[in-house]
Amino acid sequence: TYNGVKYEYIVVAPQFNKYIRLQPGVKDNFPTAKEVENVINYVVARYRIDPRRIYLTGYSTGANMVLEYAASSVTRARRVAAIMPVALCTQHGHINNTSRGYHAKNIGLAKLKTWFVYCESDNCGTGPALNVPNKWVDSIMKVRGAARPRYTRLRNINPPTLYNCSDSLWHDAWSRAFDPNFKASHFYKPTSTVGANDGVNLNMYQWFIRQVNTATSSLATNSVLEEEPGITRPAVTVSVTPYPI
């Protein structure tokens, strides 16, 4: 319930079974921005939703797809109200992104609301900690008028808390991020791992519903989506889920 209105979510969780990327001698074959757009088109065409409240979240390779969609163009970034990439691995400035026109400036120019959740020890499977979201956040913040990203960095602290890296896997930020009790976010500072609390302190579900896409009309073009008195259309969250995990 927000401002006295009760909202409902339709959660759409597409799975994919192939993600071949950066394997020596093997051609890249991975879902990215276009596949996310296909899912959004499918949902808009078939469900009675509020198109001003389309949210994207995903973890690991799913986070890559969400971020790449928003970074692919200002038009696409303006189609959704907010995104939450968790345990992101797609790197800012990587040839796989720049060759496709995926740039952080598109997110900034669209003024898209973002919330990154990442474990500070995460190395996306190889080498030292990569701190992948840092460059994305830095670049978004350099765009004049951009919405300041939220950024929660999970730490290795003792005793462990809800804001600690997962006990079982440093890459696992999603078991924290999707917990309704997980609310705190901190302003990211390039010279510091954790800045001041941003004072929002809402969980993902609460934070999403407060983001409304003003670039999109509340009336869908599909004639079957006529408004009915006393009915509030549900928001839709597309949660991109890798398989196998």
Side-chain angles (χ1 to χ4, degrees):
T1 301
Y2 174 55
N3 280 347
V5 179
K6 183 178 180 180
Y7 294 89
E8 295 180 338
Y9 281 101
I10 295 174
V11 180
V12 180
Q15 292 185 320
F16 56 93
N17 56 18
K18 182 177 292 185
Y19 197 89
I20 301 172
R21 185 169 184 169
L22 302 180
Q23 295 184 18
V26 182
K27 184 179 180 180
D28 282 349
N29 184 2
F30 58 91
T32 181
K34 181 59 178 177
E35 285 72 20
V36 174
E37 184 169 59
N38 289 343
V39 172
I40 294 174
N41 289 341
Y42 179 92
V43 171
V44 170
R46 289 166 175 79
Y47 291 91
R48 187 177 182 277
I49 66 165
D50 183 348
R52 300 170 304 169
R53 285 188 166 89
I54 298 175
Y55 312 106
L56 303 180
T57 187
Y59 58 85
S60 191
T61 50
N64 295 352
M65 296 165 64
V66 166
L67 200 284
E68 289 159 9
Y69 173 82
S72 63
S73 73
V74 175
T75 299
R76 283 175 172 167
R78 285 177 174 166
R79 191 175 187 190
V80 297
I83 64 171
M84 186 181 190
V86 180
L88 182 70
C89 285
T90 188
Q91 297 181 36
H92 180 272
H94 193 280
I95 186 63
N96 263 337
N97 289 322
T98 57
S99 64
R100 292 175 168 83
Y102 299 171
H103 301 290
K105 69 178 181 180
N106 291 328
I107 297 173
L109 290 171
K111 297 179 172 56
L112 178 63
K113 301 293 182 61
T114 60
W115 183 2
F116 296 83
V117 182
Y118 193 78
C119 178
E120 66 179 8
S121 301
D122 193 350
N123 62 7
C124 290
T126 59
L130 297 178
N131 296 312
V132 173
N134 292 21
K135 290 184 178 180
W136 287 102
V137 172
D138 284 341
S139 296
I140 292 170
M141 290 174 60
K142 289 178 182 177
V143 178
R144 184 182 299 273
R148 187 171 189 172
R150 303 187 80 200
Y151 187 9
T152 306
R153 289 173 59 88
L154 306 181
R155 311 187 70 186
N156 287 321
I157 55 180
N158 191 23
T161 71
L162 186 61
Y163 299 92
N164 201 62
C165 296
S166 170
D167 298 331
S168 59
L169 178 66
W170 283 353
H171 186 47
D172 173 14
W174 51 87
S175 63
R176 314 302 198 204
F178 301 146
D179 186 328
N181 296 310
F182 185 90
K183 299 180 178 181
S185 175
H186 301 83
F187 292 126
Y188 167 67
K189 297 181 179 180
T191 58
S192 174
T193 55
V194 178
N197 189 298
D198 66 2
V200 176
N201 295 325
L202 302 172
N203 66 36
M204 179 188 74
Y205 316 94
Q206 297 167 329
W207 180 74
F208 269 160
I209 206 63
R210 284 161 172 75
Q211 314 309 322
V212 180
N213 187 355
T214 57
T216 300
S217 170
S218 63
L219 297 177
T221 57
N222 191 329
S223 61
V224 302
L225 299 182
E226 295 294 332
E227 293 288 355
E228 297 178 15
I231 298 295
T232 299
R233 294 185 189 175
V236 61
T237 298
V238 176
S239 177
V240 185
T241 307
Y243 176 83
I245 295 173

